[in-house]
Amino acid sequence: MASSSGLGKAFKHLDLDGHELPPSPAPSSPSNGRKYALATELVYTESNDQYNASSVPIYQSATFKGGPGQEYDYTRSGNPTRTHLERHLAKIMNANRALVAGSGMGALDVITRVLKPGDEVVTGDDLYGGTNRLLTYLKENNGIIVHHVDTTKLDVVKETITEKTTMVLLETPTNPLIKIVDIAGISTIAHEVSTKIIVAVDNTMLSPYLQNPLDLGADVVYESGTKYLSGHHDVMAGVIGVNDLQLADKFYFMINSTGCGLAPFDSWLLLRGIKTLAVRMEKQQANADAIANFLESHGFKVRYPGLKSHPQYKLHWSQARGAGAVLSFETGSIALSERIVESTKLFGISVSFGCVNSLISMPCRMSHASIDPAVRKERAMPEDIIRLCIGIEDLDDLKDDLSQALVRAGAVKLTDNGFTALSADALEEAGETGRTTQVTDEP
Ligand SMILES: Cc1ncc(COP(=O)(O)O)c(C=O)c1O
Ligand SMILES: N[C@@H](CCSC[C@H](N)C(=O)O)C(=O)O
């Protein structure tokens, strides 16, 4: 009888046949309860515990005493720390209701459980590897028809969405090719075909600090809280924001039924991380912008929406307030990319992004390795692509580390003015033969 929407009344849960729809929590005010600027709202979570604790308490309890009618009975169904987080998230995601799951993939699993055999999903051809894996599973085992198309092309999306479409699943910027997808444009196209089509947007690459898909016409926003929201590589979490309260009830039903709700301690960690989201993001994207320019000025083809050279620069800035801190670039050679990645000292070789420390990876070997190599080829995913996820470190330290790695790997040559990327031919040769420039251990 407990509700994860919480601090309100107990309600009956929706059953699988759709009976007994629970009363949803009242939608917040038009500004979704926001009184202050987002950076301020991120910091303030009103704790209503009996001791006026400044930090929301962790209710590390599986059960709650009292019997029927009480607010909480069992943490799988609802927990005060989780409720607190969900209310806070609803405010910052501009959603009528937010829900939290044990990971970003857990959140997507909850969302896609509304799909039935025969339903059609229209989605992108540059998707996070785990998302691609789940959709492939649903296609092969649950009778869901999945269309992967270039979602940067509105005409292609328009041709693919039909009355049979029940969900449109978008990522923007995409991971790792950093393509931009027109959220408002696609939402309009989908809803013109049917208002029942659920447009769901993965907002992991920017966080609610920089982009609010619900304000652009999407029906559902979700993201991996493992990234920017938590920000320290120490918690796995997934968040969902939705305006339609009946849809929210369905998602809540799934979270309660499958037991994938976020644990109290992880909810607390996420609440703590969110307080510093604005400062982390500002610093991370300032660093990322400088590094993107630094690599571009030395001749690399860099993918980053903060660069004017990004082919969809205008579209990105029409729907987002910043460029985030993930960028990618190619070298022309897998071997050369491997040497660069392995030559960094400060950049950790790791999957994930959005956290305080900088990371470097080769997506085709790591985060996107679960995509069949033939499919990667079909979708023109460059095998040599390097992804940089920028943290809050000192910018000069980051640049120095990248410079020494590029030199050590033979991707650049040293000149009096610093270093210059090699020509395509020289890079190709460097990729095959190895280092072209003598370097000392401490450049
Ligand atoms: C864009 C994107 N969406 C979703 C996920 C899934 O999140 P999680 O790892 O928290 O399950 C990830 C990364 O894992 C991601 O990069
Ligand atoms: N082994 C994991 C890989 C996680 S990738 C995490 C993150 N989304 C990223 O893009 O780096 C898996 O198979 O899911």
Side-chain angles (χ1 to χ4, degrees):
M1 297 284 184
S3 141
S4 95
S5 64
L7 311 173
K9 296 150 213 115
F11 59 64
K12 288 178 183 158
H13 304 311
L14 175 71
D15 71 22
L16 263 179
D17 300 316
H19 301 132
E20 296 186 339
L21 261 178
S24 288
S28 21
S29 66
S31 58
N32 292 296
R34 277 201 206 164
K35 275 191 276 191
Y36 302 107
L38 187 51
T40 311
E41 293 284 4
L42 292 170
V43 177
Y44 287 100
T45 54
E46 282 157 29
S47 165
N48 63 350
D49 92 304
Q50 58 180 317
Y51 300 113
N52 293 325
S54 304
S55 163
V56 172
I58 306 168
Y59 286 89
Q60 192 60 45
S61 183
T63 53
F64 297 84
K65 290 188 236 170
Q70 63 183 13
E71 207 168 324
Y72 298 99
D73 65 348
Y74 197 56
T75 280
R76 172 160 47 68
S77 307
N79 176 285
T81 315
R82 190 195 301 156
T83 300
H84 212 98
L85 170 64
E86 290 176 340
R87 294 201 148 192
H88 192 46
L89 278 166
K91 204 154 62 161
I92 65 177
M93 294 167 97
N94 275 355
N96 280 337
R97 187 168 174 191
L99 296 150
V100 288
S103 69
M105 291 318 302
L108 185 58
D109 179 47
V110 165
I111 294 164
T112 52
R113 273 174 192 261
V114 301
L115 297 169
K116 298 189 184 70
D119 280 359
E120 297 200 5
V121 176
V122 176
T123 191
D125 59 1
D126 179 33
L127 289 178
Y128 162 54
T131 300
N132 188 77
R133 179 172 51 202
L134 181 60
L135 292 176
T136 304
Y137 178 87
L138 293 175
K139 186 165 130 183
E140 289 173 357
N141 298 281
N142 291 10
I144 313 288
I145 297 141
V146 183
H147 301 279
H148 291 275
V149 297
D150 182 351
T151 41
T152 63
K153 299 203 169 90
L154 287 185
D155 52 339
V156 173
V157 174
K158 196 166 184 169
E159 265 167 31
T160 320
I161 295 178
T162 67
E163 308 79 55
K164 290 189 208 143
T165 308
T166 45
M167 189 175 284
V168 176
L169 199 65
L170 308 172
E171 276 182 32
T172 182
T174 62
N175 173 16
L177 296 184
I178 323 286
K179 292 195 217 164
I180 308 302
V181 171
D182 182 345
I183 299 174
I186 294 183
S187 298
T188 304
I189 290 172
H191 293 145
E192 270 169 12
V193 175
S194 166
T195 51
K196 289 194 179 137
I197 295 176
I198 298 171
V199 177
V201 178
D202 182 332
N203 205 35
T204 309
M205 291 279 277
L206 291 180
S207 90
Y209 185 64
L210 297 180
Q211 184 168 265
N212 302 109
L214 296 179
D215 293 351
L216 297 160
D219 303 290
V220 176
V221 58
Y222 72 100
E223 71 185 67
S224 167
T226 316
K227 313 293 186 320
Y228 291 105
L229 287 173
S230 57
H232 294 75
H233 297 302
D234 53 12
V235 58
M236 299 291 307
V239 313
I240 303 172
V242 61
N243 280 334
D244 175 342
L245 296 175
Q246 292 204 349
L247 191 55
D249 288 334
K250 288 188 183 170
F251 293 157
Y252 169 70
F253 173 87
M254 289 305 171
I255 289 177
N256 187 29
S257 305
T258 61
C260 69
L262 194 63
F265 184 56
D266 291 341
S267 297
W268 181 84
L269 278 173
L270 203 55
L271 271 166
R272 189 170 71 155
I274 288 169
K275 290 182 188 182
T276 56
L277 176 63
V279 275
R280 284 187 281 108
M281 187 59 104
E282 291 296 345
K283 173 74 173 162
Q284 281 179 257
Q285 60 175 358
N287 276 352
D289 189 75
I291 286 181
N293 277 290
F294 165 80
L295 288 170
E296 191 175 62
S297 70
H298 289 295
F300 290 100
K301 184 184 166 226
V302 183
R303 298 167 192 259
Y304 182 63
L307 290 175
K308 290 236 167 65
S309 57
H310 191 292
Q312 296 161 295
Y313 179 86
K314 259 180 136 170
L315 171 62
H316 178 79
W317 289 92
S318 72
Q319 60 184 16
R321 295 179 290 275
V326 179
L327 55 111
S328 54
F329 68 103
E330 288 138 70
T331 67
S333 151
I334 298 173
L336 182 56
S337 294
E338 277 172 353
R339 285 203 305 280
I340 293 170
V341 170
E342 282 161 9
S343 299
T344 53
K345 294 175 180 170
L346 252 182
F347 282 82
I349 306 175
S350 170
V351 292
S352 207
F353 56 86
C355 295
V356 287
N357 50 314
S358 296
L359 303 175
I360 189 164
S361 67
M362 286 184 69
C364 293
R365 299 278 166 91
M366 299 167 74
S367 50
H368 293 67
S370 61
I371 303 178
D372 188 311
V375 174
R376 289 203 302 264
K377 193 167 179 194
E378 207 176 281
R379 296 184 191 166
M381 165 115 64
E383 295 287 316
D384 63 318
I385 195 165
I386 295 179
R387 192 181 72 182
L388 294 178
C389 308
I390 309 299
I392 62 170
E393 300 93 334
D394 179 82
L395 178 59
D396 288 338
D397 283 341
L398 292 177
K399 278 188 185 168
D400 287 350
D401 190 38
L402 268 185
S403 306
Q404 70 80 25
L406 291 167
V407 171
R408 184 181 289 271
V412 299
K413 67 171 187 252
L414 285 173
T415 66
D416 290 344
N417 302 327
F419 67 74
T420 315
L422 300 180
S423 66
D425 285 352
L427 272 177
E428 198 178 319
E429 196 190 323
E432 282 161 15
T433 59
R435 190 180 296 173
T436 57
T437 313
Q438 277 309 114
V439 287
T440 58
D441 267 354
E442 297 302 327

